[in-house]
Amino acid sequence: QVRLVESGGGLVQAGGSLRLSCAASGRTFSRYSMGWFRQAPGKSREFVAAISWSGGNTNYADSVKGRFTISRDNAKNTVYLQMNSLKPEDTAVYYCAADEGGTTATMHQWMYDSWGQGTQVTVSS
């Protein structure tokens, strides 16, 4: 399994922006599809965005389309989630995950093999 460490969370006002980063260990990061998920208090973890190993394919939850952008830098073993126009309902712990055997940007949690510890994002109204 690959080790994943998220960073970049924090407190922001509604309408603001944050960029999350997820640094991965290992030399085969460029072979993994990567995803971002989130879990709000009292709710199940849900899909946010995913990106294929090459970066050529991306996938977004309807709730974040047009506001969030996922990207990756394979030279830095890092995947990013740029979050703009944040809303209070975006408040959650955000997790990155690696699909070590996949080639597509899947939204299915069960396909991801490794998970980070999460980073808190709080959006105030």
Side-chain angles (χ1 to χ4, degrees):
Q1 288 187 333
V2 63
R3 182 170 179 262
L4 303 171
V5 179
E6 301 97 335
S7 61
L11 174 63
V12 64
Q13 289 188 333
S17 298
L18 282 174
R19 188 176 82 155
L20 305 183
S21 299
C22 173
S25 64
R27 294 176 292 176
T28 56
F29 173 78
S30 61
R31 300 179 188 176
Y32 308 152
S33 293
M34 299 294 296
W36 285 98
F37 295 80
R38 67 187 182 186
Q39 186 168 20
K43 295 187 178 181
S44 301
R45 189 166 59 190
E46 64 176 8
F47 170 74
V48 175
I51 188 167
S52 61
W53 65 273
S54 67
N57 291 318
T58 57
N59 191 7
Y60 295 93
D62 288 343
S63 59
V64 307
K65 278 181 182 176
R67 299 189 299 122
F68 291 11
T69 302
I70 189 170
S71 61
R72 65 189 297 159
D73 184 338
N74 286 343
K76 295 183 178 179
N77 280 15
T78 302
V79 63
Y80 304 98
L81 185 69
Q82 178 66 44
M83 305 186 295
N84 298 329
S85 301
L86 282 162
K87 305 175 182 180
E89 51 263 43
D90 294 318
T91 295
V93 177
Y94 283 71
Y95 300 90
C96 71
D99 175 8
E100 299 174 33
T103 58
T104 60
T106 182
M107 64 180 291
H108 300 296
Q109 297 188 41
W110 58 268
M111 294 191 69
Y112 288 85
D113 306 284
S114 301
W115 294 80
Q117 83 290 347
T119 186
Q120 177 70 46
V121 171
T122 303
V123 184
S124 63
S125 57

